[in-house]
């Protein structure tokens, strides 16, 4: 016998059984009502709760009955829903006039043995392995995404699967696999989804009327297109959320950077304030007083040097007024004059320049903090710098005055600072007027210039007092 013919016969048998059950229930209810005896002295149905009952209930059949006192407005449908039974098993006794409660009898149904939930045999399980994706699994079994999602309505993402997850794979009919929940039935789900009754019974190999809560029902021909669209919309929303999250992180990093910049500026301001306070303390310190005395000695030394130079010039004028002498005699007198006056015979280190800061000036903040022991000659970047005196190069490279050159001649040291490039090397012998380097702005500098400093016996003196 084919399954279709068996299904038709079972359907007809089920219909006949339902009609017979309804007729029997109606007859039993009529008999029950005729067998109830109500006391003529009962004026309030609430007296049923007293020890001496005014209403006597007698079972008319071998069925087990439960007698309850309920409100007068409660219906058989409400009582059946409350106690989990069909309304045909609820019997309401007649309601006395003006009463606020009534008696109801509930027919107890024998317990049904519990069976395992039904699952369509054509839907096979598949355990997710490493490297699997939903799209890859669907392609492997010849399914499209809608068919795969239809039997896996518990999926929450089109992209996220975990190793060990179990997926349902339809091997014959394509459709939607649903689980019957409390309050639902197989027939209501078939009607709600618009599935074919015979095709559904064939796909599940069971009659819909034999399926109960907890069974899985395959509805062939139904497609989960809306579910796929929902997951696609969720994927787009997740992408937008990821972009917004990245932008938020970037903005938070920017805010953190701004806060760090503000913190650094605050620290720099605190450091400047501390430096200024140290300077105020230094103004009254013994160290500053010693420097002032040293400066005064320097001024006295410069005055002595100026007097010596003036004396030398006077001597030169007197010598010029005397009769001419031989070159050997003139050279001898020049050597004696230089030794007696202490003059170095310096030459100007630059051909074109502008004096911007003199010896001991405090015209810029650095000179206010550190004694300015030289003269600054401002010139264009790359202007040539020449040796002011014969000597030997003892330093050529970066030092206290940026890129600088130190030359020594006897007990005198000459410093050429803030160069852009040096033209001599350490240990080289130089002669007066020789190219030493070029003007720059290396080290602590406010503009391209030459720092020209002369030290006699290690002490800085005013170079302008020694230049012609």
């Amino acid at each position: 016998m084919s399954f279709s013919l068996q299904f038709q016969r079972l359907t007809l048998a089920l219909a006949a059984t339902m009609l017979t059950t309804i007729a029997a229930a109606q007859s039993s209810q009529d008999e029950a009502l005729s067998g109830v005896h109500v006391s003529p002295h009962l004026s309030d149905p609430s007296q049923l709760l007293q020890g001496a009952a005014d209403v006597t209930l007698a079972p008319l059949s071998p069925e087990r009955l439960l007698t309850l006192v309920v409100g007068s407005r409660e219906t058989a449908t409400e009582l059946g829903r409350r106690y989990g039974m069909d309304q045909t098993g609820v019997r309401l006794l007649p309601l006395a006039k003006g009463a606020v409660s009534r008696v109801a009898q509930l027919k107890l149904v024998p317990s049904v043995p519990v069976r395992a939930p039904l699952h369509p045999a054509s839907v096979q399980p598949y355990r997710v392995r490493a490297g699997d994706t939903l799209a890859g699994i669907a392609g492997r079994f010849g399914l499209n995404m809608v068919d795969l999602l239809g039997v896996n309505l518990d999926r929450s993402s089109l992209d996220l699967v975990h190793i060990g997850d179990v997926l349902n794979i339809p091997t014959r009919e394509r459709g939607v696999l649903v689980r019957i929940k409390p309050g639902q039935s197989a027939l209501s789900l078939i009607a709600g989804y618009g599935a074919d009754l015979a095709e559904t019974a064939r796909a599940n190999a069971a009659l819909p009327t034999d399926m109960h809560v907890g069974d899985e029902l395959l509805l062939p021909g139904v497609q989960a297109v809306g579910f796929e669209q929902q997951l696609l919309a969720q994927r787009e929303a997740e992408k937008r959320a990821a972009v917004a999250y990245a932008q938020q992180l970037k903005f938070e990093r920017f805010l953190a950077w701004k806060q760090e910049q503000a913190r650094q500026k605050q620290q720099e301001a605190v450091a400047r304030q501390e430096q200024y306070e140290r300077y105020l303390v230094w103004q009254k310190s013994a160290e500053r007083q010693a420097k002032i005395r040293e400066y005064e000695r320097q001024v006295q030394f410069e005055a002595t040097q100026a007097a010596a130079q003036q004396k030398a010039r006077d001597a030169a004028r007197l010598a010029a007024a005397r009769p001419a002498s031989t070159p050997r005699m003139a050279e001898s007198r020049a050597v004696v004059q230089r030794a007696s006056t202490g003059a170095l015979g310096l030459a100007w280190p630059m051909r074109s320049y502008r004096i911007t800061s003199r010896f001991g000036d405090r015209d810029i903040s650095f000179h206010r903090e550190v004694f300015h022991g030289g003269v600054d000659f401002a010139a264009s970047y790359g202007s040539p710098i020449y040796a002011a005196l014969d000597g030997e190069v003892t330093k050529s490279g970066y030092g206290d005055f940026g890129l600088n050159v130190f030359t020594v001649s006897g007990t005198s040291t000459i410093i050429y600072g803030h160069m852009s490039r040096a033209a001599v090397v350490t240990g080289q012998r130089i002669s007066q007027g020789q190219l030493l380097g070029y003007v720059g702005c290396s080290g602590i500098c406010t503009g391209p210039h030459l720092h020209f400093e002369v030290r006699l016996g290690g002490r800085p003196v005013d170079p302008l007092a020694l230049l012609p």
Side-chain angles (χ1 to χ4, degrees), residues 97-252:
K97 185 176 181 180
V100 295
S101 59
R102 66 192 311 171
V103 175
Q105 290 182 335
L106 277 63
K107 182 172 63 176
L108 302 181
V109 180
S111 60
V112 180
V114 178
R115 59 170 174 77
L118 298 180
H119 180 83
S122 61
V123 179
Q124 296 296 323
Y126 172 79
R127 190 172 297 277
V128 177
R129 296 174 293 185
D132 278 344
T133 62
L134 284 182
I137 295 172
R140 184 184 307 166
F141 291 97
L143 304 171
N144 57 41
M145 187 59 68
V146 174
D147 293 338
L148 183 60
L149 291 175
V151 294
N152 295 278
L153 296 178
D154 59 338
R155 304 310 304 171
S156 59
S157 172
L158 289 174
D159 308 305
L160 187 63
V161 289
H162 300 91
I163 298 176
D165 288 352
V166 178
L167 299 179
N168 294 316
I169 304 297
T171 59
R172 292 198 310 268
E173 296 87 358
R174 307 290 191 265
V176 172
L177 182 67
V178 296
R179 187 181 300 274
I180 303 176
K181 300 177 182 178
Q184 297 178 341
S185 65
L187 294 176
S188 66
L189 290 173
I190 294 171
Y193 281 93
D196 183 82
L197 180 62
E199 292 295 332
T200 302
R202 186 176 297 107
N204 292 273
L207 292 174
T209 53
D210 293 338
M211 303 185 72
H212 307 294
V213 173
D215 295 337
E216 290 184 320
L217 176 67
L218 179 63
L219 301 172
V222 181
Q223 291 187 330
V225 177
F227 184 49
E228 182 190 27
Q229 296 297 327
Q230 175 185 345
L231 294 182
L232 287 173
Q234 178 179 330
R235 173 192 284 173
E236 293 300 321
E238 291 174 352
K239 289 181 179 179
R240 291 193 297 270
V243 172
Y245 179 69
Q247 292 176 345
Q248 179 66 23
L249 287 181
K250 185 176 181 180
F251 179 68
E252 290 177 357

Side-chain angles (χ1 to χ4, degrees), residues 283-294:
Q283 276 189 323
K284 301 178 181 180
S285 65
E287 179 185 1
R288 182 171 181 270
Q289 300 302 322
K291 286 186 177 294
I292 292 175
R293 289 191 295 270
E294 181 181 354

